[in-house]
């Protein structure tokens, strides 16, 4: 797997002057007289990654560098997101790294931060029209392409004849969901044009809500009972679709994609209920974000390796983009070997044999 511009080594730089971290029940910070860098994560409901991976790896990177940082989670609350940002700015953060809940919320925070001379990094999600000077994420169109190509592979392997393909898209206010869809729609468009596959229902899931996803997919399946494949935009949505397919005893027969390489998603892949997932090495993203934030906090110019287009402002945003990887049953071990998931958790109970049979070590 490509390691990305910064690799996975922890950042190692000189200790900066410490200042007091912002308060809050969700904060993770070292003792001192103030936080230099503030990080706002979006929630812990739509994906487990924010608390199990991003928080952990960001904190490790800041600790390794001897940097005061305050990491808080807005838990899906837009008012809390704004309040946390205000606290961090008031308490002396010179850099904010944010994963917006939507572009409107993110834009308000970025504008206030700019007015106070605070630099903002959009982390994982681009704030449309927000004007953040930096963006750190994976190549999200490539993530979508991997999902589309993955579904095509699974349908071809099953020798499916003109399968009807449904799209269960991510949150309509999340630019990443748009990029994912651009990727998988682009990958599958030639199949639709050639008449090899048939385009089926295509719906977004508000706020990436897995419960809503189950309801939406149940309606899709009722209206189109001959669905042959599903592009689900992440592992949570995929699991919601799989739960519905299980009720109809169609799990394993209808390939479903995902992304995030969560434990649940990987278990579904091992069980044959999910066609594939996409692994985004969150440690790479967290290390890249932390390195950039630390450089900016020191007054240095941040290094980037790409740009992304903001379709709202029509501007090009300097970016650090990392490479995703497709994960099928035969390479689930790649995610374990990288330390992203714990083998004991992944291979517990009924999954022990599936792990052994598929080379998970």
């Amino acid at each position: 797997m490509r390691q990305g511009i910064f690799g996975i080594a922890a950042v190692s730089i000189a200790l900066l002057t410490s200042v007091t971290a912002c308060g809050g029940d969700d904060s993770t910070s070292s003792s001192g007289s103030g936080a230099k860098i503030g990080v706002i994560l979006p929630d812990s409901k739509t994906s487990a990654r924010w608390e199990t991976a991003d928080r952990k790896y960001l904190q490790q990177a800041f600790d390794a560098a001897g940097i005061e940082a305050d990491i808080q989670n807005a838990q899906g609350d837009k008012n809390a997101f704004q309040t946390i940002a205000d606290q961090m700015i008031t308490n002396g953060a010179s850099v904010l790294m944010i994963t917006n809940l939507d572009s409107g919320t993110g834009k308000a925070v970025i504008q206030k931060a700019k007015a106070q001379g605070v630099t903002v990094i959009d982390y994982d999600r681009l704030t449309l029209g927000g004007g953040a000077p930096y963006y750190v994420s994976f190549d999200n169109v490539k993530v979508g392409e991997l999902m589309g190509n993955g579904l095509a592979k699974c349908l071809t392997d099953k020798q499916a004849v003109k399968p009807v393909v449904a799209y269960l898209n991510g949150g309509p206010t999340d630019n990443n969901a748009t990029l994912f869809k651009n990727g998988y729609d682009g990958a599958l468009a030639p199949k639709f044009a050639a008449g090899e596959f048939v385009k089926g229902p295509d719906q977004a899931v508000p706020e990436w809500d897995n419960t809503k996803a189950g309801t939406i997919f149940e309606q899709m399946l009722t209206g189109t009972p001959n669905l042959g494949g599903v592009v689900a935009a992440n592992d949570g949505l995929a699991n919601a679709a799989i739960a519905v397919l299980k009720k109809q005893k169609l799990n394993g027969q209808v390939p479903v994609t995902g992304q995030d390489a969560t434990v649940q998603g990987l278990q579904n892949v091992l069980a044959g209920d999910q066609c594939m997932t996409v692994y985004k090495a969150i440690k790479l993203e967290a290390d890249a974000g932390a390195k950039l934030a630390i450089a900016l906090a020191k007054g240095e110019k941040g290094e980037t390796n790409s740009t992304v287009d903001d379709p709202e402002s029509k501007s090009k945003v300097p970016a650090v983009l990392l490479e995703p990887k497709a994960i099928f049953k035969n390479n689930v071990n790649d995610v374990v070997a990288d330390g992203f998931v714990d083998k004991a958790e992944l291979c517990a109970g009924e999954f022990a044999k599936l792990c052994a049979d598929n080379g998970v070590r």
Side-chain angles (χ1 to χ4, degrees):
M1 177 175 184
R2 202 172 88 181
Q3 295 299 300
I5 189 171
F6 294 118
I8 60 172
V11 184
S12 179
I13 64 172
L15 178 66
L16 294 182
T17 303
S18 299
V19 281
T20 309
C22 304
D25 293 339
D26 283 328
S27 66
T28 304
S29 58
S30 305
S31 61
S33 56
K36 193 74 173 179
I37 297 169
V39 179
I40 311 177
L41 301 175
D43 61 66
S44 55
K45 181 181 178 183
T46 62
S47 178
R49 61 164 283 193
W50 304 113
E51 287 298 320
T52 62
D54 295 86
R55 177 188 287 273
K56 176 177 70 174
Y57 292 133
L58 286 166
Q59 192 65 53
Q60 287 174 358
F62 291 131
D63 287 347
I67 300 300
E68 287 281 348
D70 183 15
I71 304 174
Q72 297 197 46
N73 193 315
Q75 297 298 353
D77 186 323
K78 295 176 185 179
N79 291 328
F81 194 99
Q82 183 70 61
T83 299
I84 292 167
D86 290 345
Q87 290 173 345
M88 289 177 172
I89 293 169
T90 299
N91 290 342
S94 62
V95 177
L96 287 184
M97 187 156 58
I98 68 169
T99 305
N100 69 59
L101 291 171
D102 60 25
S103 285
T105 307
K107 189 173 182 178
V109 166
I110 293 168
Q111 289 175 341
K112 181 167 286 189
K114 278 185 174 180
Q116 299 296 321
V118 176
T119 303
V120 178
I121 300 168
D122 271 333
Y123 180 72
D124 197 74
R125 296 174 184 166
L126 184 66
T127 300
L128 299 183
Y134 296 98
Y135 173 56
V136 176
S137 191
F138 285 83
D139 183 338
N140 291 311
V141 173
K142 180 68 178 292
V143 172
E145 288 174 355
L146 292 177
M147 285 192 280
N149 289 330
L151 184 69
K153 178 185 184 301
C154 293
L155 288 169
T156 300
D157 289 348
K158 285 183 172 293
Q159 300 181 322
V161 178
K162 292 191 175 182
V164 178
V165 176
Y167 288 178
L168 195 60
N169 308 308
T173 63
D174 181 354
N175 187 56
N176 279 5
T178 300
L179 297 177
F180 298 148
K181 185 178 180 182
N182 289 345
Y184 51 73
D185 203 30
L188 291 169
K191 297 287 189 182
F192 297 139
E196 295 176 43
F197 296 173
V198 178
K199 181 73 176 293
D202 179 350
Q203 286 186 245
V205 178
E207 301 173 334
W208 293 88
D209 187 290
N210 296 331
T211 301
K212 292 176 183 175
T215 301
I216 289 169
F217 184 70
E218 197 152 26
Q219 292 167 349
M220 283 184 178
L221 191 59
T222 299
T224 314
N226 62 329
L227 282 182
V230 183
V231 178
N234 76 358
D235 288 345
L237 303 186
N239 191 64
I242 289 165
V244 175
L245 291 170
K246 282 181 176 178
K247 292 179 186 177
Q248 304 299 323
K249 302 191 185 307
L250 292 172
N251 55 305
Q253 298 179 45
V254 178
V256 181
T257 71
Q259 58 98 14
D260 278 343
T262 62
V263 168
Q264 184 180 66
L266 293 169
Q267 288 176 336
N268 282 335
V269 170
L270 288 169
D273 292 335
Q274 185 168 322
C275 159
M276 55 82 70
T277 185
V278 178
Y279 172 42
K280 300 179 296 185
I282 305 302
K283 180 165 173 42
L284 297 183
E285 186 178 21
D287 284 352
K291 181 174 182 178
L292 180 59
I294 291 165
L296 295 171
K298 292 178 67 180
E300 299 171 358
K301 183 178 179 180
E303 295 181 12
T304 57
N305 66 354
S306 188
T307 60
V308 295
D309 294 322
D310 182 335
E312 188 168 305
S313 67
K314 309 301 182 186
S315 61
K316 289 190 177 296
V317 183
V320 179
L321 297 184
L322 305 167
E323 280 285 311
K325 182 175 186 177
I327 300 295
F328 296 86
K329 190 180 294 189
N330 64 358
N331 65 337
V332 166
N333 189 62
D334 289 357
V335 185
V336 178
D338 231 18
F340 183 68
V341 299
D342 179 54
K343 180 189 172 184
E345 183 181 3
L346 176 66
C347 302
E350 65 187 282
F351 295 99
K353 186 176 187 305
L354 289 171
C355 281
D357 289 347
N358 290 281
V360 178
R361 298 182 295 277

